[in-house]
Amino acid sequence: MNSRKKIMVLGLDGCANLGDQAIVDCTTKLIKKSLEELHKETIYDLEIIDFTLGFELGKKRGIQKAKKEVLYALPAAFKESVKEKYIRYKAIKYASSKIDKDVAAVIFAGGGIIKYKYQKFYIFIDAFVKIAEKMKIPVMFSGVGIEGYDCKDKRCNLLEKSLNCTCVKTISTRDDIYILKQKYLINNSACQTLRVSDPVCNIAELFGVSKKSKSNVIGLGISRFEIFSDNGVSFERTQVLELWKNLIHYLDSKHLKWKIFTTGLPCDYEAEMELKDYLGNQYPEEYFLPKPNTVNELLEDISNFKVTCVCRLHASIISYSLDIPTMGFVWNDKQMMFAEAIGWKQYFLNREQLKDNITVFNTFNKLNEEDGYKSSLNTYKLSVYNPIKSFVKQI
């Protein structure tokens, strides 16, 4: 009789940004694919652990999925240092309740989790890795985003210490391989490191969805207007509103159909409704898509577009997977790293370019003439899969 073990998949499965949920879904499907191809004697069940139950400790939010623990919000009066200690305590307790003797491996399922300036991922990474190290359970970070390094920051030091534990066998990243290898991994030379695609690059194939070939609708993927300034880019909310308004008026002048969509975050949908007001409520409801509530709904929305102009990284990645030409409005280095990886840098515009309407319009015109991604990039798309298969093979 075959024995049974668990592979624990840690991800942002409850995040309102459906791009993060898509990462977990695609990584899980790729793990299952590897298990099917390897024909291992042991039967492995996948247990998905919602990372957001960790970093949302400071907020009260409902999580609708069944059988998920709710970690309680912290009192607002707590000082940050006390909060951090409390979160660490809860993190260890949470991780201890999840990792048991039946866990054969832990896989962190992508997303921008190797960071420390905001969100408390580093605390929960430390908690889970510490327990895995103690129990001699192998750990993989798959297709993760690397967002900064500072040797003088204690939060970064904690993250660095976690990544250098001997239980961490593989770290693949969708973006900054240099910081990973030259800054973080100073004491873990045995850890395999690779630059790979984001798992969502494979979503069209994994979900069995294709683009609507006869579509002539332009998809405008909006985000909250403060996203640029909040990430250190001098491009204020009024400028972002004007950017969208001017682009929409340009599309109207060319008699092109368009629709606005989001990747699921409530704050982005609020921005969508604010833009509707900013435009003078002159357009019918059909121009403004409802907030998608599932990855399938988001995938269906994007599949109906001819091209997309977007702020969110995974709106671009899903477009790419569907072979839909995409233009990115850049507020974070991760967007440009993705553009470079797929040979599409000319269609990702920085702050200075976004300030110039002529540049935006000309770039859109070129984009609208593209049929898709001409070079064969299946090798890049699948690059995230081979390290997963190799890691699973060894457990």
Side-chain angles (χ1 to χ4, degrees):
M1 185 176 178
N2 291 342
S3 60
R4 259 193 131 86
K5 288 284 187 177
K6 292 188 293 188
I7 296 176
M8 181 174 290
V9 182
L10 287 167
L12 305 177
D13 192 44
C15 184
N17 185 347
L18 296 173
D20 288 319
Q21 289 191 30
I23 290 172
V24 178
D25 290 347
C26 290
T27 301
T28 301
K29 287 179 182 292
L30 291 172
I31 296 169
K32 288 179 178 178
K33 178 183 176 182
S34 71
L35 289 169
E36 290 170 2
E37 291 181 356
L38 290 168
H39 304 292
K40 294 177 77 72
E41 292 184 7
T42 303
I43 298 172
Y44 291 96
D45 298 314
L46 301 189
E47 182 178 4
I48 299 170
I49 304 298
D50 185 356
F51 225 164
T52 57
L53 292 175
F55 83 84
E56 292 292 349
L57 270 171
K59 302 176 183 177
K60 290 183 178 179
R61 59 179 287 181
I63 296 177
Q64 303 301 320
K65 296 186 178 182
K67 298 181 181 179
K68 287 188 174 180
E69 291 184 35
V70 176
L71 298 178
Y72 296 103
L74 294 169
F78 270 40
K79 291 183 178 179
E80 190 60 34
S81 60
V82 178
K83 279 187 178 182
E84 185 122 335
K85 289 178 182 178
Y86 180 74
I87 293 173
R88 288 189 186 188
Y89 162 75
K90 294 295 285 187
I92 291 291
K93 187 175 181 181
Y94 182 56
S96 299
S97 71
K98 295 299 181 183
I99 300 182
D100 57 34
K101 59 181 178 59
D102 293 326
V103 175
V106 174
I107 298 178
F108 287 86
I113 62 173
I114 307 301
K115 61 183 175 186
Y116 54 89
K117 292 179 182 178
Y118 64 98
Q119 298 175 312
K120 305 294 185 182
F121 295 143
Y122 60 94
I123 294 178
F124 279 79
I125 287 172
D126 179 65
F128 277 94
V129 171
K130 269 183 180 174
I131 295 172
E133 180 86 340
K134 183 178 180 180
M135 298 180 68
K136 294 182 171 53
I137 297 171
V139 174
M140 176 184 188
F141 289 81
S142 178
V144 293
I146 313 290
E147 299 186 19
Y149 177 87
D150 182 356
C151 64
K152 297 179 181 179
D153 192 303
K154 291 182 179 180
R155 299 167 299 177
C156 182
N157 297 154
L158 184 66
L159 188 53
E160 180 181 330
K161 184 178 179 181
S162 302
L163 298 182
N164 281 280
C165 285
T166 57
C167 66
V168 179
K169 305 300 183 183
T170 303
I171 305 177
S172 64
T173 175
R174 68 188 182 194
D175 43 53
D176 208 327
I177 188 72
Y178 173 80
I179 288 181
L180 175 63
K181 294 175 74 171
Q182 302 299 322
K183 301 293 184 179
Y184 278 107
L185 290 180
I186 54 173
N187 296 312
N188 191 1
S189 58
C191 179
Q192 182 186 34
T193 57
L194 308 96
R195 173 84 186 272
V196 299
S197 63
D198 187 291
V200 182
C201 288
N202 300 280
I203 195 169
E205 294 82 3
L206 292 172
F207 279 68
V209 176
S210 58
K211 66 179 178 181
K212 310 303 184 291
S213 58
K214 295 182 179 180
S215 174
N216 62 351
V217 180
I218 312 303
L220 304 179
I222 201 169
S223 71
R224 60 188 179 87
F225 303 127
E226 300 83 5
I227 198 166
F228 291 88
S229 57
D230 285 353
N231 284 273
V233 178
S234 181
F235 199 54
E236 303 305 320
R237 71 186 326 272
T238 53
Q239 294 175 292
V240 181
L241 276 161
E242 281 295 303
L243 167 66
W244 286 116
K245 185 185 79 171
N246 293 335
L247 179 56
I248 286 169
H249 287 170
Y250 179 75
L251 297 178
D252 288 344
S253 73
K254 296 291 184 179
H255 307 289
L256 296 171
K257 296 181 180 179
W258 54 268
K259 290 186 178 182
I260 293 178
F261 72 100
T262 73
T263 58
L265 280 167
C267 60
D268 289 356
Y269 185 68
E270 289 172 9
E272 180 181 340
M273 293 298 98
E274 184 178 344
L275 178 59
K276 181 183 177 185
D277 292 339
Y278 193 75
L279 294 168
N281 287 305
Q282 59 180 302
Y283 299 101
E285 290 291 334
E286 66 190 56
Y287 283 75
F288 302 86
L289 293 183
K291 181 176 73 68
N293 294 308
T294 67
V295 172
N296 281 305
E297 288 178 7
L298 175 60
L299 192 52
E300 182 64 23
D301 284 348
I302 295 178
S303 71
N304 284 299
F305 299 133
K306 179 188 177 186
V307 301
T308 61
C309 306
V310 303
C311 285
R312 293 288 180 186
L313 173 62
H314 282 90
S316 282
I317 292 177
I318 292 173
S319 299
Y320 166 72
S321 183
L322 289 162
D323 200 32
I324 294 172
T326 187
M327 182 164 81
F329 298 164
V330 178
W331 51 270
N332 189 294
D333 289 345
K334 63 186 178 184
Q335 293 167 278
M336 194 56 74
M337 289 183 185
F338 169 68
E340 290 171 350
I342 65 171
W344 211 248
K345 189 177 178 180
Q346 71 272 26
Y347 292 118
F348 278 62
L349 305 184
N350 61 30
R351 175 194 65 181
E352 293 305 320
Q353 293 169 311
L354 292 173
K355 287 180 179 179
D356 181 12
N357 286 334
I358 299 302
T359 298
V360 174
F361 300 159
N362 287 342
T363 304
F364 169 79
N365 290 335
K366 292 176 183 177
L367 180 83
N368 203 34
E369 293 173 359
E370 294 278 7
D371 293 327
Y373 303 87
K374 294 181 176 62
S375 57
S376 177
L377 292 171
N378 282 338
T379 301
Y380 172 70
K381 279 187 176 184
L382 289 171
S383 60
V384 70
Y385 174 64
N386 290 330
I388 291 174
K389 185 176 179 181
S390 177
F391 176 78
V392 170
K393 184 178 180 179
Q394 296 173 32
I395 64 176

